[in-house]
Amino acid sequence: MGKLAWQIIGVGAPIAAAFVARKTLTFAWEKSTKRPAPSNPVDDEISMSEALAWTIVSGVGVAVAQLVVQRIAANTVRNNFGDEALPKKFRKQIEETTD
């Protein structure tokens, strides 16, 4: 059950977070600049600086949203189903100490 929970929460939540973040950033961009968010980077009506600014804002915003949601998802699955429910790359690393 834990691995299925990770499939649903750990994979689905970051996708949903990216969608919501993109919509939120688009709304904020349009309210603050009074222009639509650049959707076509090669459009001649969009300046290079505006295209770069949108790329940076949207890229960082979506990445941060996905990171936060993925960490929350991993902690939720770990707390409810144990560390073994997570993929190996998300499991806590146990340090081996030799005395």
Side-chain angles (χ1 to χ4, degrees):
M1 180 65 178
K3 291 190 187 271
L4 178 62
W6 174 253
Q7 292 291 328
I8 295 169
I9 298 170
V11 176
I15 292 170
F19 177 78
V20 170
R22 181 77 174 207
K23 290 292 184 184
T24 303
L25 290 167
T26 299
F27 177 79
W29 180 274
E30 291 173 356
K31 288 295 179 186
S32 65
T33 65
K34 308 289 190 242
R35 293 177 46 95
S39 59
N40 183 359
V42 297
D43 188 352
D44 289 337
E45 293 183 19
I46 299 170
S47 69
M48 178 63 97
S49 60
E50 185 178 11
L52 283 172
W54 172 248
T55 300
I56 292 167
V57 166
S58 63
V60 169
V62 168
V64 167
Q66 287 180 317
L67 172 71
V68 168
V69 168
Q70 194 168 44
R71 288 181 64 108
I72 292 169
N75 285 333
T76 300
V77 170
R78 183 179 291 118
N79 291 338
N80 290 311
F81 300 102
D83 207 43
E84 294 300 314
L86 297 171
K88 287 183 182 178
K89 67 180 182 178
F90 293 120
R91 293 180 189 163
K92 290 185 178 181
Q93 301 296 318
I94 300 172
E95 294 182 24
E96 293 183 26
T97 58
T98 56
D99 292 339

